[in-house]
């Protein structure tokens, strides 16, 4: 049997260069002392202070993880995976968050004192970058004023960060190692959604017009408008799903009773026709499940979640302080508790995790 600890140093370095995630590099170095000595400890850029912001001037990164159950013959169907959001702290530790909420998970269940990620099958689903501020006397970063931001990377080197400068109503770019913010021409901060598509920042507006920002600050049209220009309280979120770009239109929520709300059809999903530069309405997502947080989003296949059916949009309704499920084929929303298999994805951690982290 091969001795993995004896791999050549140059080969280990080549492998580590494929790991464009701070968390994965830490796991790589923890395999054995030889691997740890071959690869330097990654530099954690976060929280990163942005210049010329009087408030909300720090950028934090969070990672959405899917922790899969062990492949045990004839028993895997008894286990469920777990979705969790993790943010590294300046002390080298990690905070746990609900993947779709703003709430910091203060402690693990009593039978799970520590999470040993070397004993778990952990998959990086999405990295999100959130501009905000924490209370100065707090030892955690759980008190956020959320603003959407984007960061693009090449391995461990930050290339640029795109965010909105609320004081000047402009969209700006901050380059790592630079001294200031650069205005992005022809892009207003009155955007509705932001995401990374094909490695570059994309911004969509109230009417669905979508543009892509280049590293040279160029702005290229991605999609023509699909909605009217009237202002409303609707929510627009873009989601990169493999090689496709999706746009989720969540209509304004102003219903006080669950009865009225359940009869409402609040969500449309569109797919980008890249050649024609048009948004095409979808009637079915197939195996895909879309998860929408506050200013961020991600997509996972139902099969990766260990579930039979996809075609769902799961989102946090902040007006009602609850998580909702929207099946595209039923045209109404439900509480997450109405779908027990999806409800169990979030909290608490499944029992099998405790047995593997003892």
């Amino acid at each position: 049997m091969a001795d993995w600890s004896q791999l050549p140093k140059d080969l280990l370095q080549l492998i580590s260069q494929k790991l464009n995630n701070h968390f994965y590099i830490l796991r790589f170095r923890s395999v054995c002392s030889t691997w740890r000595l071959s690869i330097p400890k990654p530099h954690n850029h976060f929280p990163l202070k942005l210049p010329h912001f009087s408030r909300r001037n720090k950028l934090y990164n969070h990672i959405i993880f899917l922790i899969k159950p062990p492949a045990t013959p004839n028993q895997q169907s008894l286990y469920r995976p777990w979705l969790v959001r993790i943010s590294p702290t300046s002390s080298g530790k990690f905070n746990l968050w609900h993947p779709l909420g703003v709430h910091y998970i203060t402690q693990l269940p009593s039978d799970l004192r520590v999470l040993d990620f070397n004993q778990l099958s952990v998959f990086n689903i999405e990295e999100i970058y959130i501009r905000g501020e924490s209370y100065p006397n707090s030892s955690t970063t759980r008190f956020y004023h959320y603003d959407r931001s984007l960061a693009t990377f090449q391995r461990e080197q930050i290339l640029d960060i795109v965010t909105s400068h609320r004081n000047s109503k402009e969209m700006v770019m901050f380059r790592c190692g630079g001294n200031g913010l650069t205005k992005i021409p022809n892009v207003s901060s009155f955007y509705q959604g932001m995401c990374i598509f094909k490695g570059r920042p994309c911004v969509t507006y109230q009417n669905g017009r979508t543009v892509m920002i280049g590293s040279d600050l160029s702005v290229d049209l991605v999609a023509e408008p699909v909605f009217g220009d009237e202002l409303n309280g609707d929510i627009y979120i873009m989601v990169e799903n493999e090689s496709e770009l999706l746009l989720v239109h969540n209509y304004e929520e102003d219903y006080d009773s669950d009865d009225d709300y359940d009869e409402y059809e609040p969500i449309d999903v569109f797919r980008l026709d890249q050649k024609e530069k048009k948004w095409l309405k979808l009637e079915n997502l197939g195996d895909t499940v879309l998860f929408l947080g506050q200013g961020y989003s991600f997509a996972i296949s139902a099969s990766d979640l260990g579930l039979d059916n996809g075609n769902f949009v799961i989102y946090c309704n902040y007006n009602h302080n609850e998580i909702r499920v929207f099946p595209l084929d039923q045209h109404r929303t439900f509480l997450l508790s109405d779908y027990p298999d999806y409800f169990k994805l979030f909290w608490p951690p499944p029992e099998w995790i405790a047995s593997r982290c003892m």
Side-chain angles (χ1 to χ4, degrees):
M1 182 179 293
D3 186 354
W4 292 97
S5 66
Q6 299 304 313
L7 287 177
K9 183 176 180 179
D10 57 347
L11 180 57
L12 292 174
Q13 292 177 343
L14 286 174
I15 295 173
S16 69
Q17 291 174 6
K18 301 295 184 180
L19 306 175
N20 57 359
N21 181 284
H22 177 87
F23 178 82
Y24 282 159
I25 295 176
L26 291 178
R27 292 190 72 191
F28 184 88
R29 297 181 75 250
S30 67
V31 170
C32 64
S33 59
T34 302
W35 289 29
R36 183 168 57 255
L37 294 173
S38 299
I39 306 301
K41 185 176 180 180
H43 174 65
N44 184 16
H45 301 279
F46 300 96
L48 181 66
K49 187 174 182 179
L50 299 174
H52 311 305
F53 281 86
S54 59
R55 297 182 62 191
R56 306 172 194 164
N57 65 338
K58 288 187 178 180
L59 191 73
Y60 302 89
N61 77 311
H62 290 199
I63 309 172
I64 308 290
F65 286 118
L66 177 65
I67 303 178
K68 287 193 172 183
T72 303
N74 302 322
Q75 292 186 347
Q76 187 169 359
S77 60
L78 300 177
Y79 299 146
R80 63 177 176 89
W82 183 36
L83 269 175
V84 66
R85 179 159 53 113
I86 294 177
S87 64
T89 67
S90 56
S91 63
K93 298 182 179 180
F94 292 88
N95 288 330
L96 296 180
W97 300 73
H98 190 287
L100 294 184
V102 297
H103 301 297
Y104 170 72
I105 299 173
T106 56
Q107 62 182 19
L108 292 168
S110 58
D111 59 345
L112 186 60
R113 296 184 178 180
V114 65
L115 280 175
D116 186 351
F117 286 105
N118 289 323
Q119 303 298 321
L120 301 170
S121 296
V122 183
F123 296 86
N124 179 8
I125 299 299
E126 187 73 20
E127 285 197 62
I128 59 178
Y129 305 92
I130 303 170
R131 200 182 80 203
E133 62 180 332
S134 59
Y135 289 113
N137 296 325
S138 173
S139 59
T140 70
T141 55
R142 57 174 157 166
F143 304 101
Y144 284 135
H145 297 281
Y146 277 67
D147 278 330
R148 291 164 287 185
S149 296
L150 290 174
T152 58
F153 291 84
Q154 186 175 31
R155 297 177 186 171
E156 281 299 297
Q157 176 65 40
I158 299 179
L159 294 179
D160 46 56
I161 295 162
V162 177
T163 188
S164 59
H165 198 300
R166 291 184 177 273
N167 293 334
S168 61
K169 304 301 181 184
E170 297 173 344
M171 185 162 286
V172 296
M173 178 179 289
F174 170 73
R175 293 226 156 127
C176 186
N179 297 321
L181 301 168
T182 303
K183 178 184 175 181
I184 302 174
N186 303 317
V187 180
S188 166
S189 66
F190 292 103
Y191 60 87
Q192 289 293 317
M194 298 175 67
C195 81
I196 295 290
F197 181 57
K198 295 185 175 181
R200 302 309 312 165
C202 281
V203 179
T204 190
Y205 293 95
Q206 183 83 35
N207 59 7
R209 181 178 182 270
T210 305
V211 297
M212 179 179 288
I213 301 170
S215 59
D216 59 352
L217 302 183
S218 61
V219 179
D220 299 315
L221 179 68
V222 172
E224 299 283 356
V226 70
F227 310 112
D229 291 326
E230 66 274 6
L231 296 177
N232 53 49
D234 296 358
I235 300 172
Y236 302 78
I237 297 179
M238 288 188 293
V239 189
E240 184 177 21
N241 181 32
E242 297 179 347
S243 60
E244 293 188 332
L245 184 63
L246 305 179
L247 175 66
V248 181
H249 180 196
N250 192 347
Y251 291 87
E252 183 177 9
E253 301 163 356
D254 55 2
Y255 288 84
D256 295 327
S257 70
D258 285 341
D259 291 340
D260 288 339
Y261 190 75
D262 284 345
E263 295 300 323
Y264 190 42
E265 184 180 338
I267 290 177
D268 283 330
V269 180
F270 299 82
R271 177 184 61 83
L272 174 66
D273 184 327
Q274 299 179 45
K275 183 178 180 179
E276 298 295 331
K277 298 184 178 180
K278 293 181 179 180
W279 290 112
L280 305 177
K281 187 175 179 180
L282 292 178
E283 299 297 334
N284 196 305
L285 289 169
D287 186 52
T288 300
V289 182
L290 303 182
F291 295 85
L292 311 181
Q294 188 175 13
Y296 62 91
S297 58
F298 54 96
I300 310 178
S301 68
S303 54
D304 283 339
L305 296 171
L307 302 173
D308 295 330
N309 299 313
N311 200 32
F312 292 101
V313 177
I314 300 177
Y315 64 101
C316 190
N317 181 332
Y318 293 94
N319 292 335
H320 294 260
N321 193 28
E322 62 194 11
I323 296 178
R324 287 270 177 171
V325 179
F326 181 79
L328 259 67
D329 57 352
Q330 297 190 40
H331 307 293
R332 57 176 292 187
T333 63
F334 301 86
L335 288 172
L336 182 64
S337 56
D338 292 329
Y339 289 83
D341 289 339
Y342 281 94
F343 183 84
K344 294 175 182 178
L345 288 173
F346 295 98
W347 189 259
E351 294 180 359
W352 65 264
I353 287 184
S355 65
R356 295 182 67 87
C357 293
M358 294 178 62

